[in-house]
């Protein structure tokens, strides 16, 4: 399988690693030649680290499958799948998808990594709009495998299916979002939980630190290897229907207190910022991100075992 | 430290294990002598399994610290902390707390495992109401360490602090809930996420299976070792304030579509039940629960390492 990765920033680099690790031949292109050169160096470092961490087998062979292209035409030549990673601006997406649609093999599937722009906003007027969709990763996709696939109303099911099949074949976990939704699914779920989290801290019910503990030493443990439906399915003797019969009234009653949609106000955001900084000074944010990635790698090894 | 565990069902058994594993001397009592006898056998089996799983060091010494008491008086004698685990009925809680308050050392802290009844509903008229609180575990507490501590308005801070200190000393992760809230904190967070999950499946946006994948291979990975606040704190260059500046508008916009508080209707519950049963037949629920516990043990070993 030949894959073109368009845009060589952090997300583009990560996609190149994912596809090459999965056995695809990858051509990476960026409008900025300097960015393209340094991307290959950064990819090499990350691939070596993943080999160290036993999250890929053979760094040299992965690197041998990644080449940079001096022109977009070269990158697209022979590609059956294109993953686009330009900045999050509609005009940029429109412009690049117009080029991709013109220059690529008409049978290729064209996917955007956008987290915030629906495919319908940048593919409507394209001859090949039926083969365009969003394939939204979580950063970095070589550590967090879910990818949300979401077409426009005119996207062919076969294009979504080709994308699904490719992502599954390289070890990602594709999910299909059937309607264009703000935030797709992952951020909508995160938003629902965050809103209640802000509400509880703002109401003086719990500290930010204890709220985090409630998730990381409680609620989040099962969610790391089961989703919320499987969790409740296993939490009542007869499954999810039984669970809803037992606890539906409680959750409905709680929901009546969870309806506010006000913006997170400056005061509560500043309060949580202050609580976080007393737990983790700003100067230590970077180290803590490295710690997070190390833990994600351990968790991935555990789940792969 | 001497701990009395009152009620020898699943939760009482699990608490006996937690406190004995943590070095406390535990006396276990139940009104039903037969239940009490079989509890000790079941505890022995579970303690052996935890030793096999390297989640406790010395099964024999743990078991040597657990004894059953033929009378409530004997169980309470010398106890500095009492953990009550009777069925979830207000009248039962009122009756047992009245006894506990009368029979225990007046300096002992009295805690209930209730998940749904606030301490104010069963302690108001007690002479020792200042020493009573809820200590709500997640089942089983020897695998899921968070415990929510929530007093009534009249509970002394020192009683909450004694409970916090004891739970922390035996390796649990106590959090303090400062107001009596339905569902405490954990179930309120779970409810907020579940509500959006039901809404998305009901709206035809995603299948139950793909929604679970979005969490277990995406959102839930970081939450297994960081809470939601730390997660967003690390997801913008300058921390949580920066994150809210960047993404607050998106979450507010999403929130406007997340306001329904209708009961989960029979149709969507039946639909999800059907989707779950096609993924996991009812006959396999028990095996899958054992799989879940094995994964929780692996995750706990990873986090303890």
């Amino acid at each position: 399988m030949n894959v073109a990765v368009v845009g060589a920033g952090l997300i583009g680099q990560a996609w190149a690693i994912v596809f090459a690790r999965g056995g695809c031949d990858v051509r990476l292109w960026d409008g900025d030649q300097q960015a393209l050169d340094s991307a290959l160096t950064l990819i090499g470092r990350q691939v070596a680290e993943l080999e160290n961490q036993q999250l890929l087998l053979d760094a040299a062979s992965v690197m041998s499958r990644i080449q940079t292209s001096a022109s977009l035409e070269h990158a697209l030549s022979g590609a059956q799948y294109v993953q686009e990673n330009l900045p999050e601006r509609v005009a940029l997406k429109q412009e690049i998808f117009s080029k991709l649609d013109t220059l690529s093999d008409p049978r290729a599937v064209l996917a955007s990594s956008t987290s915030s722009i629906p495919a319908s906003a940048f593919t409507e007027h394209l001859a090949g709009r039926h083969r365009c969709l969003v394939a939204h990763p979580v950063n970095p996709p070589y550590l967090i495998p879910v990818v949300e696939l979401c077409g426009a109303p005119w996207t062919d099911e076969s294009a979504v299916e080709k994308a699904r099949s490719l992502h599954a074949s390289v070890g990602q976990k594709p999910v299909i979002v059937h309607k264009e939704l703000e935030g797709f699914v992952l951020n909508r779920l995160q938003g629902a939980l965050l809103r209640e989290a802000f509400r509880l801290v703002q109401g003086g019910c719990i500290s930010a630190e204890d709220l985090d503990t409630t998730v990381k030493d409680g609620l989040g443990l099962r969610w790391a290897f089961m989703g919320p439906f499987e969790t409740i399915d296993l939490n009542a003797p007869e499954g999810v229907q039984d669970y809803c019969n037992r606890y539906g009234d409680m959750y409905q009653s709680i929901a009546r207190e969870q309806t506010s949609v006000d913006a997170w106000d400056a005061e509560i955001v500043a309060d949580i910022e202050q609580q976080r900084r007393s737990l983790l000074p700003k100067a230590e944010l970077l180290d803590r991100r490295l710690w997070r990635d190390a833990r994600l790698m351990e968790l991935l090894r555990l789940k792969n075992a």
Side-chain angles (χ1 to χ4, degrees), chain A:
Chain A
M1 192 80 173
N2 298 320
V3 171
V5 173
V6 170
L10 282 175
I11 299 288
Q13 293 164 31
W15 276 126
I17 294 170
V18 166
F19 290 119
R21 178 177 66 179
C24 301
D25 286 312
V26 176
R27 290 184 180 177
L28 179 62
W29 175 83
D30 196 286
D32 177 344
Q33 182 64 41
Q34 212 172 345
L36 193 58
D37 294 339
S38 77
L40 207 56
T41 310
L42 294 167
I43 287 171
R45 256 182 238 162
Q46 195 54 52
V47 165
E49 172 65 10
L50 289 170
E51 188 188 51
N52 282 341
Q53 296 289 336
Q54 300 150 28
L55 290 170
L56 58 79
L57 281 178
D58 180 352
S61 90
V62 168
M63 290 306 292
S64 76
R65 288 193 288 274
I66 302 175
Q67 57 171 301
T68 58
S69 290
S71 71
L72 182 56
E73 289 81 351
H74 180 263
L76 296 173
S77 169
Q80 292 129 300
Y81 181 86
V82 180
Q83 183 81 36
E84 172 278 324
N85 313 279
L86 266 48
E88 294 282 88
R89 294 203 294 279
V90 177
L92 274 180
K93 300 290 186 192
Q94 289 169 336
E95 188 189 342
I96 190 70
F97 266 76
S98 175
K99 285 184 189 165
L100 297 178
D101 191 35
T102 308
L103 298 174
S104 64
D105 183 322
R107 294 161 300 182
V109 170
L110 310 180
S112 173
S113 295
T114 178
S115 66
S116 61
I117 309 173
S120 58
F122 55 87
T123 63
E124 184 173 5
H125 303 293
L126 303 180
R129 65 182 195 168
H130 59 279
R131 61 184 175 129
C132 299
L133 72 156
V134 169
H136 172 233
V138 182
N139 195 29
Y142 48 76
L143 297 183
I144 303 188
V146 76
V147 50
E148 297 180 280
L149 304 179
C150 183
W154 45 77
T155 305
D156 279 353
E157 273 189 39
S158 66
V160 177
E161 175 51 30
K162 278 182 198 166
R164 194 203 61 72
S165 166
L166 170 64
H167 280 278
S169 76
V170 297
Q172 299 304 98
K173 301 290 183 180
V175 299
I176 298 178
V177 181
H178 298 286
K179 295 180 184 175
E180 293 194 310
L181 283 171
E182 186 167 14
F184 306 109
V185 167
L186 187 143
N187 278 328
R188 292 179 77 90
L189 294 171
Q190 177 165 236
L193 186 134
L194 277 176
R195 186 153 289 267
E196 179 63 8
F198 274 87
R199 191 184 287 124
L200 289 167
V201 174
Q202 187 160 28
C205 303
I206 192 165
S207 69
E209 181 178 17
D210 277 4
L211 190 131
D212 272 356
T213 296
T214 307
V215 173
K216 73 183 173 189
D217 293 306
L219 198 50
L221 299 177
R222 290 178 288 212
W223 285 350
F225 50 87
M226 305 188 295
F229 288 127
E230 180 158 21
T231 296
I232 64 174
D233 195 36
L234 301 184
N235 266 355
E238 301 293 317
V240 66
Q241 170 94 56
D242 186 19
Y243 184 92
C244 293
N245 293 345
R246 289 166 187 251
Y247 304 110
D249 287 350
M250 176 190 76
Y251 285 120
Q252 198 195 346
S253 171
I254 288 173
R256 290 192 203 99
E257 300 170 2
Q258 298 180 320
T259 57
S260 66
V261 297
D262 303 335
W264 299 332
D265 68 28
E267 197 178 334
I268 182 61
V269 171
D271 176 26
I272 291 173
E273 170 74 19
Q274 195 196 337
Q275 291 190 51
R276 284 295 310 156
R277 291 294 71 76
S278 73
L279 295 165
L280 183 75
K282 194 165 269 189
E284 295 173 22
L285 275 168
L286 181 61
D287 275 353
R288 189 69 175 171
R289 288 193 190 101
L290 297 174
W291 170 88
R292 171 196 64 192
D293 290 349
R295 305 246 75 175
L296 281 171
M297 289 183 202
E298 290 169 359
L299 186 52
L300 205 56
R301 275 199 301 276
L302 179 72
K303 292 186 68 172
N304 290 344

